[in-house]
């Protein structure tokens, strides 16, 4: 896999990404690790190491909100077909029948995002969610929605009876040994954090605070964004999905979560996960088999798992440090194709 490392280091030398942590896992074992570049292009930027925390952005959806909900389903505290009205009895009539399944598969009808996103916004929840007009009938089609995942974060807290971060630390990250995974990292505890975008409000690069405006306005803990982690911690999470070890989630519930539920409705979605279909164009490239599942994050992160090849690729960058017009969307499939090419050569 050294050829993959050379490819990644070349991109860093070209200035295409500031820094990156890459992990390639095969049959439950990490077979290649590469930490390269810097946490920031500023003078105080540190070398990226195995201890570098990355803002996972939308990987929060599958590394925080999803396992919380699946554990609660496994415990019988909620079901896929539970309507919102069970947990939010005062929600408006047109949203009362929206189910957890529809929220997890992005078929709830809620809009993708807010019309305006600012870090100094005041978000009143759940009132904001109650007021959002539905874009289509629930269940009709896939529209990837941050708003639906925000609602699921609130719902998980109600079902668990405790704050989302507290429940996850006790029930997910602790049992899996994900010791550096957290919301709202303390700069004193975590000295090496990859910087994200330049903030016009504060006139500085964002570091140690969530990049996503809505999550920041919510205090840094949200169902759609806000999570920070290292590549090694995400490998521990991926191993649980690939091998069932440690036995956090049952084989049945892992299988249910990774089956496409939305074929023919404008996207391939499992519970939380994006599912690779037969068509080309996925961020995991052409070498991952149909049925693979994964997710990406706006800051420059991704996790893809191919159960058929017993393969997982954790690819964390802070590409958004360069601004939003970066090339990572084009680079991701190239990197994954390089991984599968080397794997098939071995």
């Amino acid at each position: 896999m050294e050829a993959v490392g050379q490819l990644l280091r070349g991109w860093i030398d070209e200035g295409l990404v500031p820094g990156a942590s890459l992990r390639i896992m095969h049959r439950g074992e990490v077979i290649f690790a590469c930490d390269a570049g810097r946490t920031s292009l500023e003078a105080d930027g540190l070398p990226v190491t195995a201890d570098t925390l990355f803002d996972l952005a939308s990987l929060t959806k599958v590394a925080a909100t999803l396992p919380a909900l699946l554990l609660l389903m496994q415990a019988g505290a909620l079901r896929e077909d539970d309507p919102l009205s069970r947990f939010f009895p005062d929600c408006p009539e047109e949203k009362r029948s929206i189910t957890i399944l529809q929220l997890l598969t992005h078929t709830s009808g809620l809009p993708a995002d807010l019309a305006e996103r600012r870090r100094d916004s005041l978000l009143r929840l759940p009132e904001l969610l109650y007021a959002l007009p539905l874009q289509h009938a629930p269940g009709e089609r896939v529209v990837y929605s941050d708003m639906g995942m925000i609602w699921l974060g609130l719902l998980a807290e109600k079902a668990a009876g405790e704050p989302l971060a507290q429940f996850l630390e006790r029930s997910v990250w602790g049992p899996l040994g994900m010791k550096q995974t957290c919301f709202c990292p303390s700069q004193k505890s975590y000295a090496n954090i990859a910087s994200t975008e330049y903030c016009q409000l504060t006139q500085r690069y964002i570091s140690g605070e969530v990049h996503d405006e809505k999550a920041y306005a919510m205090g840094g803990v949200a169902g759609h964004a806000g999570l920070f982690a290292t590549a090694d911690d995400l490998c521990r999470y991926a191993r649980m999905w690939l091998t069932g070890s440690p036995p956090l989630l049952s084989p049945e519930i892992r299988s249910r979560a990774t089956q496409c539920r939305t074929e023919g409705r404008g996207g391939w979605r499992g519970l939380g996960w994006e599912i690779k279909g037969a068509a080309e164009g996925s961020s995991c490239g052409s070498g991952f088999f149909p049925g693979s599942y994964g997710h990406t994050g706006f800051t420059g992160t991704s996790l893809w798992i191919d159960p058929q090849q017993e393969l997982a690729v954790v690819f964390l960058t802070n590409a958004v440090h360069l601004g939003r017009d970066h090339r990572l969307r084009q680079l991701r499939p190239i990197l994954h194709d390089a991984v599968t090419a080397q794997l098939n050569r071995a």
Side-chain angles (χ1 to χ4, degrees):
M1 290 293 171
E2 184 52 38
V4 181
Q6 291 174 5
L7 177 68
L8 177 55
R9 287 188 286 268
W11 291 344
I12 290 170
D13 290 343
E14 292 176 50
L16 299 178
V17 290
S21 284
L22 171 68
R23 298 292 183 274
I24 301 169
M25 178 183 290
H26 189 226
R27 295 175 179 167
E29 299 297 329
V30 175
I31 62 171
F32 184 76
C34 178
D35 303 297
R38 302 182 70 80
T39 60
S40 170
L41 298 180
E42 298 288 277
D44 59 353
L46 300 172
V48 171
T49 70
D51 291 324
T52 299
L53 277 186
F54 286 85
D55 180 341
L56 299 186
S58 283
L59 282 188
T60 303
K61 295 176 172 74
V62 293
T65 309
L66 176 63
L69 290 165
L70 295 180
L71 279 174
L72 290 164
M73 289 180 192
Q74 191 168 265
L78 51 81
R79 301 180 303 274
E80 287 181 14
D81 58 357
D82 277 342
L84 279 174
S85 58
R86 178 183 171 191
F87 298 94
F88 299 88
D90 58 339
C91 76
E93 183 64 33
E94 71 274 12
K95 298 186 178 77
R96 292 178 62 81
S97 63
I98 293 173
T99 64
I100 292 173
L101 174 63
Q102 289 167 343
L103 289 165
L104 278 171
T105 56
H106 297 279
T107 58
S108 67
L110 289 168
D113 209 337
L114 297 176
E116 183 181 25
R117 298 177 299 170
R118 291 177 55 90
R119 290 178 73 80
D120 58 351
S121 298
L122 176 63
L123 303 184
R124 293 192 54 175
L125 298 170
E127 291 82 4
L128 171 65
L129 299 169
Y130 290 176
L132 288 175
L134 292 182
Q135 304 298 295
H136 57 80
E140 184 176 279
R141 62 179 180 269
V142 174
V143 174
Y144 178 76
S145 174
D146 275 2
M147 308 315 296
M149 296 303 295
I150 289 173
W151 208 328
L152 283 174
L154 301 180
L155 188 151
E157 290 188 330
K158 282 180 174 283
E162 61 183 309
L164 182 62
Q166 183 176 308
F167 178 72
L168 287 163
E169 176 60 40
R170 178 175 58 82
S171 303
V172 180
W173 307 327
L176 294 181
M178 298 169 66
K179 296 181 180 179
Q180 292 179 280
T181 299
C182 63
F183 291 99
C184 306
S186 164
Q187 295 278 5
K188 292 181 180 178
S189 302
Y190 300 97
N192 194 320
I193 304 176
S195 297
T196 56
E197 196 173 18
Y198 188 79
C199 177
Q200 295 295 337
L201 285 173
T202 60
Q203 299 291 296
R204 61 177 176 82
Y205 283 96
I206 300 167
S207 180
E209 296 174 346
V210 60
H211 172 266
D212 182 89
E213 298 93 343
K214 299 184 298 298
Y216 182 80
M218 292 171 63
V221 181
H224 72 295
L227 196 62
F228 288 74
T230 63
D232 287 330
D233 269 8
L234 278 188
C235 277
R236 295 179 178 96
Y237 184 63
R239 182 181 291 113
M240 184 272 296
W241 282 93
L242 264 177
T243 71
S245 179
L248 187 74
L249 296 172
S250 71
E252 178 191 5
I253 205 160
R254 284 185 284 120
S255 176
R256 282 163 49 196
T258 54
Q259 299 300 310
C260 181
R261 305 293 193 90
T262 60
E263 189 171 359
R265 286 184 279 169
W268 286 62
R269 291 281 167 181
L271 301 185
W273 296 106
E274 176 186 345
I275 309 298
K276 185 184 179 185
E280 295 298 317
S282 172
S283 64
C284 65
S286 59
F288 274 60
F289 280 76
S292 298
Y293 51 95
H295 214 287
T296 61
F298 187 80
T299 49
T301 60
S302 64
L303 166 62
W304 273 99
I305 298 172
D306 184 336
Q308 190 164 335
Q309 299 185 83
E310 300 178 271
L311 172 67
V313 176
V314 175
F315 184 33
L316 305 183
T317 82
N318 58 335
V320 79
H321 185 61
L322 303 174
R324 303 192 180 193
D325 189 26
H326 55 75
R327 289 178 53 191
L328 192 65
R329 292 171 190 83
Q330 293 77 42
L331 299 178
R332 276 194 190 110
I334 296 172
L335 181 128
H336 288 84
D337 281 348
V339 170
T340 52
Q342 293 300 320
L343 189 69
N344 293 329
R345 223 173 253 147

